[in-house]
Amino acid sequence: MKTPITVVGGGLAGVEAAWQCARFGVPVELYEMRPATMTPAHRTGALAELVCSNSFKSMVDGTAPALLKEEMRRLGSLTLKAAAASRVPAGGALAVDRVRFAEEVTTALEAEAGVNVTRVEFEEWPPAPAVVATGPLTSEVMAEALADAVGRGNLYFFDALAPIVSAESVDMGKAFEASRYDKGDGAYVNCPLTATEYRAFTCALTAASTAPFRDFEKKLFFEGCVPVEELARRGEDTLRFGPMKPVGLKDPRTGRRPYAVLQLRPEVLSREMFGLVGFQTRLKQREQRRVFQMIPALAEAEFLRYGAAHRNTYICSPTALEATTELSSRRGVFVAGQLTGVEGYMESAATGIVAGINAARFARGEPFVYPPPETATGALLRYISTAPAATFAPMNVNFGLFLPAGGKGKRDRQRRVVARAREAFTKWLANVGEEF
Ligand SMILES: Cc1cc2nc3c(=O)[nH]c(=O)nc-3n(C[C@H](O)[C@H](O)[C@H](O)COP(=O)(O)OP(=O)(O)OC[C@H]3O[C@@H](n4cnc5c(N)ncnc54)[C@H](O)[C@@H]3O)c2cc1C
């Protein structure tokens, strides 16, 4: 009988790690503290609960997020299986009904003979073999244990959530359904603004009051999750070239491209509520209502959830972690998910897959493996294990992480990167053996 692998945390990364261990025939003890102990953002006791957006980003062939998902699927990803069963229309993106998604994952893991799920807060450092995947909202005791394990170099800072409005409160007389460049189904609701409306909106946005920063908060955000009011402060046109860009969209009422657009994405299959895409914010709640209702289609918007600030915990992986996701200071203990300094649901899940595979190999006395740096998964692993420690910041998958592959122009370079990644991944899979 093999020593069971302890997996701490049943979020996106922990469930993938547990699934991989079971897949390779090593028993798993998975510890999840919810529902008895909740985090500030989770609302349920379900495994793999999505705390914010319901989107797993692009599925469009040739993009970095799509490539990462393709590799994860080839490694038997549990979250992608669950996503396939709970998908909601979202144009070229993979979005899910969050309740069904979490149910699919929870049911699959609880039914897996090799996995035992215990609902308790893990309060000590786990013995090897183990995977620590307690996420951006790691409980205090585990954060302490982590700080001991990696040195006191882990940081705490804050992200921002986007508000959600009810579908019936959106004025469809002033909005229109379409996906950019008509890619996929017309899944987004687009709220257009004229130049005058846009200027008045950005003016109000930059002047609105935000929640005060507390002593222990740092005014530092992931570049992919910068609050909309911070973006607006960077320049009058920043939003129009960022989350409010109108490219690829034509307003059917005018037959023209709007000056600026806020996109709304369905949060659930029934399309009863919409998230404001790219509108993470730290504005006070009454200010969110006042300012976002200046967008004509949202004049009567009912806010089902307001945007908010949240904590993010991650370790300085370049000094603490190997590309296998094993901690340099604790052999046989792997770290996965947002804690490693990747950012995003799928990125977290991908590191969970790698941690699970290697924890299983550790338990079986086999050498570690991980996809080469030419692949999307390998590029992420290379980033977290080798980026300059002094400036290390969480990162989502993007073409900037890949080794250059030559080519002329952006499209051609990206095409080459994708082709090379597929070839490298296929070769790697063939080398690591039949079990994969
Ligand atoms: C508020 C918020 C919003 C976010 N929004 C997005 C978004 O819109 N899109 C996106 O791609 N990414 C988002 N992220 C970032 C990140 O992708 C997700 O947090 C993702 O869920 C990370 O996966 P994970 O497995 O590392 O952590 P989680 O999914 O958070 O899982 C960690 C699990 O560990 C449990 N846990 C913690 N401590 C203990 C303990 N001591 N013992 C037992 N269990 C424990 C927690 O209850 C949780 O279930 C957001 C993060 C936060 C905090």
Side-chain angles (χ1 to χ4, degrees):
M1 173 78 178
K2 294 183 193 81
T3 316
I5 293 168
T6 304
V7 176
V8 191
L12 277 292
V15 298
E16 290 282 15
W19 188 250
Q20 290 293 330
C21 294
R23 183 177 167 218
F24 288 105
V26 185
V28 177
E29 292 292 337
L30 172 64
Y31 293 89
E32 169 52 57
M33 67 179 185
R34 293 176 291 114
T37 308
M38 298 297 274
T39 76
H42 290 84
R43 295 285 171 266
T44 73
L47 300 177
E49 179 186 334
L50 305 178
V51 287
C52 183
S53 154
N54 61 336
S55 168
F56 292 154
K57 302 202 188 113
S58 183
M59 286 282 282
V60 176
D61 192 33
T63 63
L67 185 61
L68 181 68
K69 287 191 268 293
E70 180 182 317
E71 293 172 7
M72 290 168 63
R73 206 170 293 111
R74 293 177 75 181
L75 290 172
S77 163
L78 172 61
T79 55
L80 285 178
K81 276 195 186 81
S86 56
R87 193 168 177 186
V88 297
L94 172 60
V96 297
D97 179 322
R98 66 180 71 238
V99 175
R100 264 187 70 188
F101 170 77
E103 271 170 14
E104 293 283 339
V105 173
T106 307
T107 308
L109 269 186
E110 285 180 348
E112 174 60 53
V115 180
N116 184 38
V117 183
T118 306
R119 302 299 190 135
V120 70
E121 180 179 355
F122 208 82
E123 293 189 326
E124 59 200 24
W125 189 251
V131 177
V132 178
T134 46
L137 305 169
T138 292
S139 74
E140 275 181 35
V141 277
M142 274 310 289
E144 272 301 305
L146 251 176
D148 285 345
V150 302
R152 304 223 150 238
N154 49 334
L155 280 172
Y156 294 87
F157 63 85
F158 284 72
D159 246 354
L161 302 177
I164 293 178
V165 295
S166 70
E168 59 182 4
S169 70
V170 177
D171 184 347
M172 289 307 292
K174 294 184 174 144
F176 60 95
E177 291 194 19
S179 287
R180 285 190 207 286
Y181 300 108
D182 290 327
K183 270 192 187 140
D185 34 36
Y188 287 87
V189 170
N190 301 280
C191 310
L193 291 89
T194 62
T196 314
E197 289 160 350
Y198 174 80
R199 274 191 215 106
F201 170 70
T202 50
C203 221
L205 185 58
T206 49
S209 40
T210 50
F213 281 97
R214 284 165 280 177
D215 284 352
F216 52 94
E217 293 176 329
K218 287 186 184 167
K219 206 174 174 182
L220 177 61
F221 299 96
F222 302 164
E223 206 40 44
C225 216
V226 179
V228 64
E229 61 275 11
E230 291 283 333
L231 281 179
R233 280 191 198 106
R234 293 181 182 178
E236 194 181 290
D237 286 328
T238 309
L239 286 181
R240 228 162 56 78
F241 287 96
M244 297 185 82
K245 64 175 181 279
V247 294
L249 293 168
K250 203 187 278 174
D251 187 336
R253 274 175 299 267
T254 61
R256 289 205 309 269
R257 187 161 100 175
Y259 189 75
V261 157
L262 163 67
Q263 288 201 297
L264 306 178
R265 185 172 48 221
E267 288 284 320
V268 286
L269 253 178
S270 56
R271 293 174 72 84
E272 279 169 302
M273 47 186 185
F274 291 116
L276 279 58
V277 178
F279 265 39
Q280 303 86 357
T281 180
R282 298 189 74 255
L283 293 192
K284 287 181 175 162
Q285 293 193 353
R286 67 181 147 74
E287 291 287 73
Q288 292 186 35
R289 220 176 25 245
R290 179 178 70 81
V291 176
F292 298 148
Q293 284 183 344
M294 290 176 73
I295 295 169
L298 296 189
E300 302 292 330
E302 174 200 10
F303 287 79
L304 298 177
R305 188 191 69 194
Y306 286 97
H310 68 84
R311 199 183 82 195
N312 182 33
T313 310
Y314 71 101
I315 63 173
C316 185
S317 290
T319 57
L321 218 61
E322 307 294 330
T324 57
T325 77
E326 187 190 34
L327 270 180
S328 320
S329 59
R330 308 284 162 108
R331 292 292 164 204
V333 180
F334 301 79
V335 182
Q338 188 105 347
L339 272 184
T340 64
V342 295
E343 200 235 316
Y345 297 138
M346 287 294 99
E347 289 83 346
S348 296
T351 59
I353 292 176
V354 176
I357 290 171
N358 283 325
R361 292 179 78 92
F362 179 89
R364 290 172 18 158
E366 294 165 357
F368 296 148
V369 294
Y370 58 94
E374 292 80 8
T375 64
T377 315
L380 270 175
L381 295 171
R382 188 173 79 97
Y383 173 75
I384 59 171
S385 58
T386 66
T391 53
F392 184 63
M395 186 65 77
N396 51 13
V397 70
N398 63 75
F399 281 115
L401 296 180
F402 290 79
L403 300 163
K408 281 194 202 112
K410 190 170 144 194
R411 286 256 163 82
D412 184 39
R413 283 201 297 275
Q414 293 181 350
R415 243 192 315 268
R416 283 168 184 250
V417 165
V418 171
R420 185 187 59 183
R422 286 196 174 122
E423 197 184 321
F425 196 84
T426 302
K427 207 161 147 192
W428 174 74
L429 267 188
N431 282 343
V432 286
E434 271 177 20
E435 269 181 305
F436 281 80

